[in-house]
Amino acid sequence: MRVISLVNQKGGVGKTTTTKNLGAGLVREGKRVLLIDLDPQANLTYSLGIRPENDETLKTLYEVLKGTATLKDVILHHDNGVHLAPSHINLSASELELTSQAGRELILKEALRPVLHDYDYILIDCAPSLGILTLNALVASREVFIPLQTEFLAMQGMSKLLETLALVKQRLNHDIEVTGIIGTMYDGRKNLSGEIVATVKQHFGDKLFKTLIRSNVSLAEAPSYGQDIFTYKSDSLGAVDYKALSKEIIAMEGK
């Protein structure tokens, strides 16, 4: 069982797109997958067609972090086979509410314990920040995947992220490792994309997945239908790439 946080404090790098479609790809490979939307913007939740503001009975991760619901209480079963712990804008209040709590970095880890053996993969979509919510994800995870846009300024902020991860490893979670960097929004027609990939390889070696997620309009369209890329357009470049990435990640299990 693998608990993986998808982290990058830079927004717009394809983090939520990757969480959703990687989860769907792993389900298609026979894996049991839970997606956790730990971003108050709730983009993962919305992209799977769920509107928390329209359902007053819906419990979300906000209630879990407050301690008024368990993770099992909030998990939803999506049509594509993934399970989802949804987010809500109220989650933004957690940053303040958790500040004074003892052991605030451990809340998500403790909430996950009862469901760990129900899944092969738990993928946590983190907010584009390095606040208390992302810290909870890092303490709860064994692995970190960094979606990295293969465009100019992609490496900006990476040093701060790696510094934060090193501190978490030293002080809070000795087991956490960056096990994968996912190149996103790749355009083979642009020399710059190739240069960025070469730079990432130079710095991170084989931690960069061989599969690069190519720029593809279908990936941008699928969320408006509440669908993953396989359901929306199974013959698209996005579907091809996320299928390949899913297989590459599963292949890591034997290493």
Side-chain angles (χ1 to χ4, degrees):
M1 196 282 306
R2 298 168 68 180
V3 182
I4 305 168
S5 283
L6 285 92
V7 181
N8 195 324
Q9 78 271 30
K10 186 175 185 298
V13 299
K15 182 168 48 61
T16 297
T17 297
T18 294
T19 305
K20 178 181 70 172
N21 292 308
L22 176 57
L26 291 168
V27 165
R28 285 173 166 257
E29 297 298 323
K31 302 298 182 179
R32 301 168 300 163
V33 179
L34 171 64
L35 306 181
I36 295 181
D37 189 353
L38 204 59
D39 185 348
Q41 296 179 70
N43 288 335
L44 178 60
T45 300
Y46 283 113
S47 72
L48 285 169
I50 297 155
R51 303 289 183 266
E53 71 278 7
N54 294 338
D55 185 352
E56 294 181 358
T57 66
L58 183 69
K59 289 181 168 55
T60 69
L61 277 168
Y62 176 63
E63 283 78 25
V64 174
L65 295 181
K66 279 181 62 179
T68 59
T70 69
L71 202 55
K72 287 187 176 182
D73 292 333
V74 310
I75 290 173
L76 305 174
H77 298 190
H78 195 269
D79 292 342
N80 66 2
V82 302
H83 291 181
L84 171 71
S87 183
H88 190 282
I89 187 63
N90 287 345
L91 195 60
S92 59
S94 297
E95 295 276 2
L96 275 177
E97 294 172 356
L98 296 178
T99 300
S100 60
Q101 284 197 31
R104 56 190 177 273
E105 304 92 351
L106 302 171
I107 295 173
L108 181 62
K109 182 177 182 178
E110 292 170 355
L112 279 173
R113 281 199 182 108
V115 305
L116 286 177
H117 298 293
D118 295 337
Y119 300 99
D120 302 305
Y121 287 83
I122 296 176
L123 305 180
I124 306 174
D125 185 23
C126 297
S129 70
L130 297 175
I132 189 64
L133 294 177
T134 298
L135 189 57
N136 261 266
L138 296 177
V139 171
S141 302
R142 295 288 295 269
E143 300 179 60
V144 171
F145 287 171
I146 303 175
L148 191 65
Q149 190 177 6
T150 56
E151 294 186 2
F152 188 61
L153 298 180
M155 300 292 287
Q156 188 180 37
M158 280 289 283
S159 59
K160 178 63 177 176
L161 174 56
L162 295 174
E163 179 184 314
T164 299
L165 291 170
L167 285 172
V168 171
K169 183 176 179 66
Q170 178 184 349
R171 298 177 181 176
L172 296 168
N173 182 0
H174 300 312
D175 296 324
I176 196 166
E177 298 286 350
V178 176
T179 55
I181 295 174
I182 303 168
T184 61
M185 304 179 189
Y186 178 74
D187 188 343
R189 298 167 299 180
K190 296 179 180 177
N191 290 335
L192 182 60
S193 287
E195 291 170 8
I196 295 297
V197 169
T199 300
V200 174
K201 281 183 179 177
Q202 182 181 349
H203 281 83
F204 299 103
D206 60 4
K207 287 188 178 179
L208 177 66
F209 286 111
K210 293 182 176 66
T211 304
L212 299 171
I213 307 302
R214 290 168 284 185
S215 294
N216 178 228
V217 67
S218 296
L219 289 172
E221 293 171 346
S224 63
Y225 294 90
Q227 297 176 345
D228 61 76
I229 192 61
F230 303 101
T231 305
Y232 178 67
K233 197 168 185 180
S234 60
D235 61 348
S236 65
L237 293 179
V240 171
D241 292 344
Y242 277 109
K243 179 178 180 179
L245 180 62
S246 299
K247 289 179 178 292
E248 192 174 348
I249 288 168
I250 290 170
M252 296 168 70
E253 295 173 13
K255 295 182 180 179

